[in-house]
């Protein structure tokens, strides 16, 4: 075993021990509110850190750097712009989400529309969470495999087991606590790799010179990626704006003011973090004549860092992937326990069911990651489902009083069928279509179709003003003295 592998494996073991120690020292969960929302007792800065950590995963740490090697500063549009767009929309909506008083999206939609609408929506949210967790497992498999010389399957099992253990027993409070630790490690690691890569590349001048030599005239233009990554901006932006694990953090805030402060703090933190990863990838253009096996970040560590520093970066990037995975698994379990399979028995039984469902959703995500070894493909499938099936009725439920349960249910069903139709086309079934597969056109068409069905069905069916007014008043989007 090389020195780098030895120090990395030793660091991983120590890291796991640290996480277990942090989780076991935390006060035990006494209720489902504790397990999924930490009793709504956490400060906004802690929730902001876990918000950042939950979106700073394998795509951010690895895929973005690799895309930046090829496309330059324009790769910021792949993850950076969708995250900023989603977070900005969250800033506008955070107060209302926290004020409405319902802890999950399913319960919000039951109060706004109907139980059947809430169940269908929660089912799609669950699919999104499980598939996204699977994408992080793919990241673990690729990264651990390259770094430690493990097989893809062994690497996934190792990384997932670490996350599963502390997630099952720590709940949301444990996720937040470990995310804080993971964020610190990630920040140090990202800075180290960025500084080393940027310095060896000769800074901006070195990158500019390499880009000119390679004939990439738009390499240092951030707007160059706008058209290429537009489908990701739309799909990821809409999907992440309504991502249940972010709404979970908003609902867990002490007040609507704290919820807004959490999103504002996160917004301004994302800008330098994503730019740092992009410039790290761009440094690779100077240092490597072609994309190195294992990716830019892994190669920078193995080629330019000492074994000890390399092990530190390994732990930091591992933390980035795991902090996203733990959040997704916890929220998937929450959706199952509170929205799809609610059980109003005693708290002890509910807590046990929460841990069992965490194990169950982890197993399903694990099976997906073993079959589909592409972060981008899995992320796209997950985001497409929630964008076309959930975005319109969920967001419009906060703003359009005339929207009713029949319109919402029809919209969700239409969006879901549209996703399935496109999935079958991607699998090779020759169904007719005039749009390009996995394109901005496909996403926009799906959202527009979902919107038209929602509006059309709502207008031709009986309004539900009393239920809508009660919900909107609670969210603070309508005055209490409003007259129909």
């Amino acid at each position: 075993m090389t020195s780098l592998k030895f120090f990395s494996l030793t660091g991983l073991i120590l890291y796991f021990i640290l996480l277990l120690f942090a989780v076991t020292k935390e006060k035990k969960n006494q209720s489902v509110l504790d397990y999924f929302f930490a009793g709504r007792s956490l400060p906004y800065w802690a929730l902001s850190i876990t918000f950042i950590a939950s979106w700073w995963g394998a795509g951010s740490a690895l895929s973005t750097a690799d895309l930046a090697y090829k496309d330059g500063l324009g790769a910021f549009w792949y993850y950076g712009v969708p995250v900023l767009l989603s977070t900005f929309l969250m800033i506008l909506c955070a107060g209302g989400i926290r004020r409405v008083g319902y802890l999950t999206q399913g319960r919000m939609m039951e109060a706004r529309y109907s139980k059947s609408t809430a169940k269908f929506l929660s089912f799609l949210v669950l699919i999104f969470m499980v598939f996204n967790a699977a994408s992080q497992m793919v990241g673990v498999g690729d990264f651990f495999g390259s770094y430690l010389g493990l097989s893809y399957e062994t690497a996934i099992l190792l990384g997932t087991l670490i996350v599963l253990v502390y997630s099952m027993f720590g709940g949301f409070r444990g996720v937040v606590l470990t995310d804080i630790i993971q964020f610190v490690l990630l920040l140090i690691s990202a800075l180290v790799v960025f500084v080393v890569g940027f310095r060896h590349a000769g800074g901006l001048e070195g990158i500019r010179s390499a880009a000119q030599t390679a004939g990439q005239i738009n390499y240092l233009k951030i707007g160059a990626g706008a058209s290429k990554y537009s489908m990701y901006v739309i799909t990821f932006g809409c999907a992440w704006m309504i991502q249940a694990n972010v709404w979970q953090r908003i609902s867990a805030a002490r007040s609507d003011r704290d919820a807004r402060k959490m999103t504002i703090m996160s917004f301004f933190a994302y800008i330098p973090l994503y730019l740092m990863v992009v410039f790290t990838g761009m440094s690779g253009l100077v240092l490597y004549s072609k994309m190195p096996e294992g990716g830019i970040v892994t190669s920078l560590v193995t080629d330019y860092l000492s074994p000890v520093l390399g092990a530190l970066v390994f732990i930091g990037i591992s933390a980035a992937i795991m902090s996203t995975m733990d959040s997704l698994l916890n929220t998937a379990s929450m959706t199952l326990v509170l929205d799809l399979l609610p059980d109003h028995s005693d708290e002890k039984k509910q807590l046990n069911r929460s841990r069992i469902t965490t194990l169950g959703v982890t197993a399903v995500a694990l099976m997906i990651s073993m079959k589909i070894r592409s972060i981008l493909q899995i992320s796209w499938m997950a985001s497409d489902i929630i964008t076309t099936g959930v975005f319109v009725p969920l967001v419009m439920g906060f703003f359009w009083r005339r929207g009713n349960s029949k319109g919402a249910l029809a919209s969700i069903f239409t969006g879901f069928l549209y996703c399935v139709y496109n999935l079958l086309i991607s699998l090779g079934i020759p169904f007719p279509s005039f749009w390009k597969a996995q394109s901005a056109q496909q996403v926009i068409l799906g959202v527009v179709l979902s919107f038209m069905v929602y509006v059309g069905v709502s207008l031709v069916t009986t309004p539900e003003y009393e239920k809508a007014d009660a919900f909107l008043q609670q969210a603070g989007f309508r005055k209490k003295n409003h007259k129909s």
Side-chain angles (χ1 to χ4, degrees):
M1 180 181 292
T2 65
S3 297
L4 178 59
K5 290 180 182 178
F6 172 77
F7 284 119
S8 297
L9 189 56
T10 302
L12 186 64
I13 294 170
L14 293 175
Y15 169 72
F16 182 46
I17 294 172
L18 175 63
L19 293 185
L20 281 183
F21 177 78
V23 169
T24 54
K25 283 297 179 182
E26 261 297 297
K27 62 181 181 180
K28 294 181 178 179
N29 296 294
Q30 301 296 325
S31 66
V32 173
L33 183 65
D34 278 338
Y35 192 82
F36 290 121
F37 299 96
R40 285 183 154 181
S41 62
L42 297 173
Y44 77 90
W45 61 265
L47 290 171
S48 179
I49 290 175
T50 188
F51 179 11
I52 296 167
S54 68
W55 275 0
W56 187 262
S60 304
L62 304 173
S63 298
T64 302
D66 291 345
L67 289 171
Y69 170 83
K70 179 182 178 182
D71 296 330
L73 200 53
F76 186 74
W77 286 80
Y78 169 58
Y79 256 81
V81 173
V83 162
L84 291 175
L85 173 62
S86 304
T87 309
F88 178 74
L89 294 173
M90 283 286 91
I91 293 172
L92 302 179
C93 301
I97 294 169
R98 176 60 180 80
R99 278 193 302 269
V100 80
Y102 300 99
L103 295 174
T104 68
Q105 291 175 335
R107 291 187 176 182
M108 290 178 194
M109 292 301 95
E110 183 175 347
R112 176 63 177 84
Y113 298 120
S114 65
K115 185 173 290 188
S116 56
T117 304
K119 293 288 186 185
F120 200 180
L121 181 140
S122 298
F123 173 68
L124 297 188
V125 168
L126 177 63
I127 293 175
F128 174 77
M129 289 296 152
V130 172
F131 269 76
N132 256 354
S135 74
Q136 300 307 309
M137 292 175 186
V138 172
V140 165
D142 290 339
F143 186 61
F144 278 23
S146 299
Y147 231 99
L148 300 176
L150 302 174
S151 68
Y152 176 75
E153 293 77 13
T154 302
I156 285 183
L157 289 172
L158 176 61
T160 302
L161 182 62
I162 292 173
V163 174
L164 178 62
V165 170
Y166 73 76
S167 296
M168 277 185 66
F169 297 102
F172 183 66
R173 186 179 279 107
V175 166
V176 172
L177 183 61
T178 53
D179 276 356
I180 293 173
I181 297 170
Q182 291 165 331
F183 177 74
V184 172
L185 291 170
L186 162 65
L187 185 59
I188 294 171
S189 301
L191 280 169
V192 168
V193 177
F194 165 68
V195 170
V196 169
F198 205 63
R199 182 170 63 84
H200 279 89
L204 271 178
E205 286 306 314
I207 294 172
R208 181 178 287 109
S209 176
Q212 289 175 348
T213 302
Q216 299 201 46
I217 58 174
N218 295 320
Y219 201 71
L220 289 172
K221 295 179 180 179
I222 195 168
S227 58
K228 179 175 182 178
Y229 295 107
S230 59
M231 64 177 178
Y232 296 110
V233 173
I234 298 168
T235 306
F236 289 172
C238 292
W240 294 344
M241 184 261 178
I242 58 172
Q243 196 162 317
N245 58 330
V246 176
W247 287 44
Q248 179 188 19
R249 282 148 179 75
I250 292 172
S251 295
R254 292 172 175 173
S255 64
D256 56 323
R257 184 181 179 186
D258 269 12
R260 186 180 295 272
K261 286 165 70 176
M262 177 200 81
T263 52
I264 292 173
M265 179 178 171
S266 301
F267 180 88
F268 287 104
Y270 282 130
I271 297 172
L273 286 173
Y274 278 96
L275 282 174
M276 189 161 53
V277 171
V278 169
F279 278 111
T280 299
M282 292 168 66
S283 299
L285 187 69
V286 180
L287 304 174
Y288 302 102
S289 59
K290 63 178 181 179
M291 173 65 73
E293 187 176 351
I296 294 297
V297 174
T298 303
S299 297
L300 283 173
V301 173
T302 55
D303 295 340
Y304 292 94
L305 293 181
S306 68
V308 174
L309 271 180
L312 177 64
V313 172
F314 167 74
I315 298 302
I317 297 175
S318 300
I321 301 171
M322 293 182 193
S323 62
T324 302
M325 192 195 306
D326 62 24
S327 172
L328 295 166
L329 293 175
N330 183 262
T331 308
S333 175
M334 178 193 73
T335 303
L336 262 175
V337 172
L338 299 184
D339 294 336
L340 291 172
L341 302 171
D343 181 0
H344 303 292
S345 58
D346 64 82
E347 291 288 353
K348 187 175 180 180
K349 288 183 178 179
Q350 284 185 302
L351 277 172
N352 289 334
R353 289 179 70 247
S354 300
R355 294 188 177 100
I356 292 170
T357 54
T358 300
L359 178 62
V361 296
T362 302
V364 174
L366 196 59
M367 287 189 287
I368 295 171
S369 66
M370 293 290 187
K371 295 291 184 181
I372 308 175
R373 292 184 56 170
S374 169
I375 296 174
L376 194 57
Q377 184 179 355
I378 296 177
S379 297
W380 171 269
M381 291 167 63
S383 298
D384 193 32
I385 287 173
I386 203 168
T387 300
T388 56
V390 174
F391 181 80
V392 169
L394 184 60
V395 174
M396 290 296 290
F398 281 85
F399 296 102
W400 193 43
R401 179 173 174 255
R402 185 62 176 80
N404 62 19
S405 57
K406 291 183 175 62
L409 192 59
S411 175
I412 295 171
F413 188 69
T414 300
F416 178 68
L417 287 181
Y418 180 79
C419 290
V420 172
Y421 187 85
N422 283 298
L423 177 61
L424 293 175
I425 291 175
S426 69
L427 293 176
I429 299 177
F431 287 149
S433 66
F434 59 84
W435 56 91
K436 184 180 178 182
Q438 294 191 3
S439 64
Q441 184 185 27
Q442 175 186 318
V443 179
I444 293 171
L445 179 61
V447 174
V448 170
L449 184 62
S450 176
F451 178 79
M452 290 174 61
V453 170
Y454 177 77
V455 172
V457 174
S458 293
L459 289 176
V460 299
T461 54
T462 306
E464 299 166 349
Y465 289 134
E466 185 176 349
K467 180 177 284 190
D469 286 344
F471 182 85
L472 294 173
Q473 287 167 9
Q474 201 165 350
F477 292 136
R478 186 168 293 276
K479 295 181 180 180
K480 291 186 178 181
N481 62 354
H482 174 83
K483 300 295 183 182
S484 298

